[in-house]
Amino acid sequence: MREIAKAVLLVYLMIGAVADIRIKKVPVGYLAIGTCGAILCLAAGRLSVYLWAPGILTGGMFLLFSKCSKESIGYGDSWMILNLGILLGIWELLAVLGAAFLSSAVAAGIGTMSGKWNRKTRIPFYPFLTLGYLGVMLW
């Protein structure tokens, strides 16, 4: 059952990544459906409160950062981080975020060195969350 849930989450993340790349925005309804699914999984009692509560706090901190930084990291990305915090718990969330930030830094470095991107280029972060999730789940 857990493997099916992982696959469903991966497909969900991939759909969001495509939306983020194509329209530079993740639809609110799409994110709300993800939150409802995450809460249903939480209600099933899969994770301890000591894992999901810090995950929710981490997602909340990213939402606050999005607000204060005028969306340096978009609301959709932060909302997905909140959903991942609910679903995965703090430790897996931190691993996903570490992999996502590392892969986005590598992509930014390559894009900058190739001359295709500059300091002001905005890149969608959702695909890197997807890549980070995939990397952590395959690990």
Side-chain angles (χ1 to χ4, degrees):
M1 185 66 170
R2 180 149 165 81
E3 298 304 318
I4 293 171
K6 284 182 182 181
V8 168
L9 181 56
L10 179 60
V11 170
Y12 177 81
L13 282 164
M14 291 169 82
I15 292 168
V18 169
D20 199 15
I21 291 168
R22 286 193 176 174
I23 61 174
K24 306 280 190 247
K25 186 176 181 180
V26 182
V28 171
Y30 170 83
L31 291 165
I33 289 169
T35 302
C36 291
I39 291 170
L40 286 173
C41 288
L42 186 64
R46 191 178 69 78
L47 284 179
S48 163
V49 68
Y50 299 111
L51 294 175
W52 60 258
I56 290 173
L57 281 172
T58 303
M61 288 172 44
F62 272 91
L63 283 168
L64 184 63
F65 178 76
S66 292
K67 177 74 173 162
C68 294
S69 69
K70 297 178 182 144
E71 289 197 79
S72 288
I73 293 180
Y75 290 121
D77 303 319
S78 295
W79 193 346
M80 190 60 217
I81 291 169
L82 175 71
N83 289 345
L84 288 172
I86 295 169
L87 285 166
L88 303 176
I90 187 65
W91 301 118
E92 285 185 338
L93 174 63
L94 291 177
V96 168
L97 288 174
F101 282 120
L102 178 64
S103 60
S104 67
V106 168
I110 292 169
T112 302
M113 286 192 291
S114 70
K116 293 184 180 187
W117 294 349
N118 61 36
R119 284 186 61 224
K120 299 197 186 243
T121 302
R122 294 184 57 96
I123 58 173
F125 188 64
Y126 211 101
F128 296 107
L129 282 174
T130 305
L131 189 61
Y133 174 77
L134 180 62
V136 167
M137 292 304 115
L138 291 177
W139 183 266

